[in-house]
Amino acid sequence: MINYLSDTITLPTDAMMQSIQEAKLGDDVYGQDETVNHLEEFAAKLTGKEAACFMPSGTMANLASIMAYCPRGTKALVGDESDIYIFEAGGASVCGGIMYEPIRTQSDGSLSIEDLTNAIPIDKNDPQFALPALICLENTHNRCGGKALSLDYLSEIKRFGDENHIPIYMDGARVFNAALSLGVDIKEITQHVDSLQFCLSKGLSAPVGSIVSGTKQHINEVRRIRKMLGGGMRQAGILAAPALVALQTMIDRLTEDHQKAKRLAKELEAIDGIEVETKDVHSNIIMFKIINENFTWKSFLEAAEKNNVIFSEMGYGRIRAVIHRHITDDDITSTIKIIKEILHSNIIKAY
């Protein structure tokens, strides 16, 4: 099976599995797991922040961070195409009494300053309005095809946040992909946000977990909320050890995923009945559409899976392919061959 469903399907490396056997363990709720402590210190330094907290998942990392910033009855400004808004079950509203205000997502994944400005009440003393307490960004942006936010934009949004006394939080699940796409050190991105989370179990291939990094004050509050949400873990070094190996060994190889994504997009673009823009491929995510009248996106996905290729649908009839370290050059060659055969065979049947 050639599986483009997500980079979350990546399996840990042999070195990660070996690290579990050698991990020094303790009770992480009491701060006594040496391996978790080492991971958090390493992650904080890597992202240029004061502190970090190991989280069971990116969803909990986002939820705990939003709740740490936003008192009940305030609002978080989120992209209307963001994972936080669409794919995380309304957690901040359910658990934190926080209002999401969806802001129109631009094609590059950004939220315009004009739209953000319009989300701030002119009279902040008017009791009718929920006040914005946080701006949430996503980088790279999943539903915009893995696009990386530009450094100029990040600088602009940070300045806007400071002027309006609203912190900037980044859902940076694939932020290392963003840094490699832009050709910069991760700190060139993180300097423009007050805090962020990044995923360890996507392209980095660790089995479980995400990191929140930010100020010591923010991380202390995130840690408290993690406990409240049921995310306090005991001998979590078993999970932290492979995560540390991932950060130490797997970041640079993400470039290979980007290169393969560009190759796949270019070859898809050459197929009659496929619509894809290679210039829109910034990282490891490709979005394409089927423009063959014999197929809907659903029937195409079903036909592909019957031929041992798995994609996902990402709204508006778009099909998503995510490249990860288990996708080989031969897999891409086979994928293109299979897609051509699927489309060609159904055209023949139609006539």
mmCIF file of all heavy atoms in Angstrom, residues 236-260:
data_model
loop_
_atom_site.group_PDB
_atom_site.id
_atom_site.type_symbol
_atom_site.label_atom_id
_atom_site.label_comp_id
_atom_site.label_asym_id
_atom_site.label_seq_id
_atom_site.Cartn_x
_atom_site.Cartn_y
_atom_site.Cartn_z
ATOM 1 N N ALA A 236 6.875 9.142 31.377
ATOM 2 C CA ALA A 236 6.700 9.578 29.988
ATOM 3 C C ALA A 236 7.998 9.595 29.206
ATOM 4 O O ALA A 236 7.982 9.840 28.000
ATOM 5 C CB ALA A 236 6.061 10.965 29.957
ATOM 6 N N GLY A 237 9.111 9.325 29.871
ATOM 7 C CA GLY A 237 10.381 9.241 29.154
ATOM 8 C C GLY A 237 10.378 8.182 28.068
ATOM 9 O O GLY A 237 11.156 8.271 27.108
ATOM 10 N N ILE A 238 9.513 7.181 28.207
ATOM 11 C CA ILE A 238 9.375 6.169 27.164
ATOM 12 C C ILE A 238 8.948 6.814 25.849
ATOM 13 O O ILE A 238 9.338 6.363 24.769
ATOM 14 C CB ILE A 238 8.365 5.084 27.604
ATOM 15 C CG1 ILE A 238 8.991 4.217 28.703
ATOM 16 C CG2 ILE A 238 7.910 4.227 26.437
ATOM 17 C CD1 ILE A 238 8.056 3.186 29.283
ATOM 18 N N LEU A 239 8.135 7.869 25.931
ATOM 19 C CA LEU A 239 7.706 8.611 24.746
ATOM 20 C C LEU A 239 8.673 9.748 24.409
ATOM 21 O O LEU A 239 8.853 10.090 23.245
ATOM 22 C CB LEU A 239 6.303 9.182 24.966
ATOM 23 C CG LEU A 239 5.202 8.175 25.285
ATOM 24 C CD1 LEU A 239 3.892 8.908 25.551
ATOM 25 C CD2 LEU A 239 5.031 7.182 24.144
ATOM 26 N N ALA A 240 9.262 10.335 25.436
ATOM 27 C CA ALA A 240 10.152 11.475 25.220
ATOM 28 C C ALA A 240 11.475 11.065 24.581
ATOM 29 O O ALA A 240 12.064 11.841 23.813
ATOM 30 C CB ALA A 240 10.418 12.185 26.543
ATOM 31 N N ALA A 241 11.937 9.871 24.868
ATOM 32 C CA ALA A 241 13.229 9.427 24.325
ATOM 33 C C ALA A 241 13.217 9.388 22.794
ATOM 34 O O ALA A 241 14.097 9.980 22.151
ATOM 35 C CB ALA A 241 13.613 8.070 24.907
ATOM 36 N N PRO A 242 12.249 8.717 22.163
ATOM 37 C CA PRO A 242 12.224 8.749 20.695
ATOM 38 C C PRO A 242 11.939 10.142 20.142
ATOM 39 O O PRO A 242 12.386 10.491 19.045
ATOM 40 C CB PRO A 242 11.116 7.762 20.324
ATOM 41 C CG PRO A 242 10.292 7.612 21.543
ATOM 42 C CD PRO A 242 11.220 7.797 22.702
ATOM 43 N N ALA A 243 11.191 10.958 20.895
ATOM 44 C CA ALA A 243 10.941 12.328 20.457
ATOM 45 C C ALA A 243 12.232 13.133 20.416
ATOM 46 O O ALA A 243 12.455 13.931 19.492
ATOM 47 C CB ALA A 243 9.936 12.999 21.392
ATOM 48 N N LEU A 244 13.101 12.917 21.397
ATOM 49 C CA LEU A 244 14.390 13.603 21.424
ATOM 50 C C LEU A 244 15.261 13.169 20.249
ATOM 51 O O LEU A 244 15.900 13.996 19.585
ATOM 52 C CB LEU A 244 15.102 13.316 22.745
ATOM 53 C CG LEU A 244 16.404 14.068 23.007
ATOM 54 C CD1 LEU A 244 16.201 15.569 22.977
ATOM 55 C CD2 LEU A 244 16.988 13.633 24.354
ATOM 56 N N VAL A 245 15.261 11.877 19.953
ATOM 57 C CA VAL A 245 16.000 11.377 18.778
ATOM 58 C C VAL A 245 15.453 12.027 17.506
ATOM 59 O O VAL A 245 16.207 12.403 16.604
ATOM 60 C CB VAL A 245 15.901 9.836 18.684
ATOM 61 C CG1 VAL A 245 16.521 9.330 17.376
ATOM 62 C CG2 VAL A 245 16.603 9.188 19.869
ATOM 63 N N ALA A 246 14.137 12.171 17.435
ATOM 64 C CA ALA A 246 13.515 12.790 16.256
ATOM 65 C C ALA A 246 14.040 14.209 16.059
ATOM 66 O O ALA A 246 14.396 14.605 14.937
ATOM 67 C CB ALA A 246 11.998 12.795 16.404
ATOM 68 N N LEU A 247 14.088 14.995 17.129
ATOM 69 C CA LEU A 247 14.562 16.372 17.014
ATOM 70 C C LEU A 247 16.051 16.447 16.682
ATOM 71 O O LEU A 247 16.501 17.373 16.005
ATOM 72 C CB LEU A 247 14.288 17.134 18.314
ATOM 73 C CG LEU A 247 12.829 17.496 18.593
ATOM 74 C CD1 LEU A 247 12.720 18.259 19.904
ATOM 75 C CD2 LEU A 247 12.246 18.315 17.456
ATOM 76 N N GLN A 248 16.791 15.465 17.134
ATOM 77 C CA GLN A 248 18.239 15.479 16.918
ATOM 78 C C GLN A 248 18.644 14.956 15.544
ATOM 79 O O GLN A 248 19.708 15.321 15.037
ATOM 80 C CB GLN A 248 18.926 14.638 18.001
ATOM 81 C CG GLN A 248 18.846 15.246 19.394
ATOM 82 C CD GLN A 248 19.326 14.306 20.479
ATOM 83 O OE1 GLN A 248 19.274 13.077 20.329
ATOM 84 N NE2 GLN A 248 19.780 14.865 21.590
ATOM 85 N N THR A 249 17.792 14.138 14.925
ATOM 86 C CA THR A 249 18.238 13.443 13.708
ATOM 87 C C THR A 249 17.322 13.577 12.499
ATOM 88 O O THR A 249 17.740 13.245 11.383
ATOM 89 C CB THR A 249 18.407 11.932 13.995
ATOM 90 O OG1 THR A 249 17.124 11.353 14.298
ATOM 91 C CG2 THR A 249 19.360 11.692 15.162
ATOM 92 N N MET A 250 16.093 14.046 12.676
ATOM 93 C CA MET A 250 15.115 13.915 11.590
ATOM 94 C C MET A 250 14.693 15.225 10.945
ATOM 95 O O MET A 250 13.925 15.216 9.982
ATOM 96 C CB MET A 250 13.865 13.185 12.112
ATOM 97 C CG MET A 250 14.133 11.795 12.647
ATOM 98 S SD MET A 250 14.775 10.664 11.382
ATOM 99 C CE MET A 250 13.269 10.339 10.470
ATOM 100 N N ILE A 251 15.157 16.348 11.438
ATOM 101 C CA ILE A 251 14.683 17.629 10.901
ATOM 102 C C ILE A 251 15.176 17.860 9.479
ATOM 103 O O ILE A 251 14.384 18.132 8.562
ATOM 104 C CB ILE A 251 15.092 18.798 11.822
ATOM 105 C CG1 ILE A 251 14.336 18.701 13.154
ATOM 106 C CG2 ILE A 251 14.794 20.139 11.143
ATOM 107 C CD1 ILE A 251 14.773 19.720 14.190
ATOM 108 N N ASP A 252 16.476 17.745 9.263
ATOM 109 C CA ASP A 252 17.039 18.079 7.952
ATOM 110 C C ASP A 252 16.514 17.172 6.845
ATOM 111 O O ASP A 252 16.390 17.601 5.690
ATOM 112 C CB ASP A 252 18.564 18.032 7.994
ATOM 113 C CG ASP A 252 19.154 19.197 8.781
ATOM 114 O OD1 ASP A 252 18.441 20.202 8.981
ATOM 115 O OD2 ASP A 252 20.327 19.105 9.199
ATOM 116 N N ARG A 253 16.200 15.919 7.180
ATOM 117 C CA ARG A 253 15.743 15.000 6.138
ATOM 118 C C ARG A 253 14.352 15.363 5.600
ATOM 119 O O ARG A 253 13.939 14.835 4.563
ATOM 120 C CB ARG A 253 15.764 13.544 6.620
ATOM 121 C CG ARG A 253 14.732 13.178 7.658
ATOM 122 C CD ARG A 253 14.171 11.772 7.463
ATOM 123 N NE ARG A 253 13.615 11.592 6.140
ATOM 124 C CZ ARG A 253 12.410 12.022 5.772
ATOM 125 N NH1 ARG A 253 11.639 12.659 6.620
ATOM 126 N NH2 ARG A 253 11.977 11.800 4.544
ATOM 127 N N LEU A 254 13.641 16.270 6.267
ATOM 128 C CA LEU A 254 12.350 16.715 5.743
ATOM 129 C C LEU A 254 12.491 17.330 4.354
ATOM 130 O O LEU A 254 11.535 17.333 3.573
ATOM 131 C CB LEU A 254 11.711 17.731 6.693
ATOM 132 C CG LEU A 254 11.304 17.214 8.083
ATOM 133 C CD1 LEU A 254 10.823 18.380 8.947
ATOM 134 C CD2 LEU A 254 10.228 16.138 7.979
ATOM 135 N N THR A 255 13.685 17.829 4.042
ATOM 136 C CA THR A 255 13.935 18.381 2.709
ATOM 137 C C THR A 255 13.685 17.340 1.627
ATOM 138 O O THR A 255 13.215 17.658 0.536
ATOM 139 C CB THR A 255 15.383 18.904 2.612
ATOM 140 O OG1 THR A 255 15.573 19.920 3.604
ATOM 141 C CG2 THR A 255 15.662 19.502 1.245
ATOM 142 N N GLU A 256 13.991 16.084 1.909
ATOM 143 C CA GLU A 256 13.742 15.007 0.945
ATOM 144 C C GLU A 256 12.247 14.903 0.640
ATOM 145 O O GLU A 256 11.856 14.672 -0.512
ATOM 146 C CB GLU A 256 14.243 13.672 1.507
ATOM 147 C CG GLU A 256 15.741 13.614 1.774
ATOM 148 C CD GLU A 256 16.131 12.307 2.457
ATOM 149 O OE1 GLU A 256 15.395 11.300 2.298
ATOM 150 O OE2 GLU A 256 17.162 12.296 3.158
ATOM 151 N N ASP A 257 11.423 15.075 1.667
ATOM 152 C CA ASP A 257 9.971 15.024 1.458
ATOM 153 C C ASP A 257 9.525 16.157 0.543
ATOM 154 O O ASP A 257 8.665 15.978 -0.328
ATOM 155 C CB ASP A 257 9.241 15.119 2.792
ATOM 156 C CG ASP A 257 9.537 13.953 3.718
ATOM 157 O OD1 ASP A 257 9.988 12.905 3.226
ATOM 158 O OD2 ASP A 257 9.308 14.089 4.927
ATOM 159 N N HIS A 258 10.109 17.340 0.740
ATOM 160 C CA HIS A 258 9.753 18.499 -0.094
ATOM 161 C C HIS A 258 10.125 18.239 -1.557
ATOM 162 O O HIS A 258 9.359 18.556 -2.469
ATOM 163 C CB HIS A 258 10.475 19.748 0.404
ATOM 164 C CG HIS A 258 10.081 20.159 1.788
ATOM 165 N ND1 HIS A 258 10.534 21.307 2.389
ATOM 166 C CD2 HIS A 258 9.261 19.567 2.706
ATOM 167 C CE1 HIS A 258 10.028 21.411 3.593
ATOM 168 N NE2 HIS A 258 9.257 20.351 3.819
ATOM 169 N N GLN A 259 11.293 17.674 -1.755
ATOM 170 C CA GLN A 259 11.745 17.397 -3.122
ATOM 171 C C GLN A 259 10.834 16.376 -3.802
ATOM 172 O O GLN A 259 10.467 16.536 -4.982
ATOM 173 C CB GLN A 259 13.185 16.894 -3.083
ATOM 174 C CG GLN A 259 14.189 17.956 -2.644
ATOM 175 C CD GLN A 259 15.561 17.388 -2.343
ATOM 176 O OE1 GLN A 259 15.738 16.165 -2.210
ATOM 177 N NE2 GLN A 259 16.555 18.256 -2.219
ATOM 178 N N LYS A 260 10.459 15.350 -3.075
ATOM 179 C CA LYS A 260 9.570 14.334 -3.642
ATOM 180 C C LYS A 260 8.183 14.903 -3.906
ATOM 181 O O LYS A 260 7.526 14.529 -4.890
ATOM 182 C CB LYS A 260 9.486 13.133 -2.710
ATOM 183 C CG LYS A 260 10.772 12.298 -2.679
ATOM 184 C CD LYS A 260 10.692 11.206 -1.635
ATOM 185 C CE LYS A 260 12.017 10.441 -1.568
ATOM 186 N NZ LYS A 260 12.029 9.455 -0.474
#
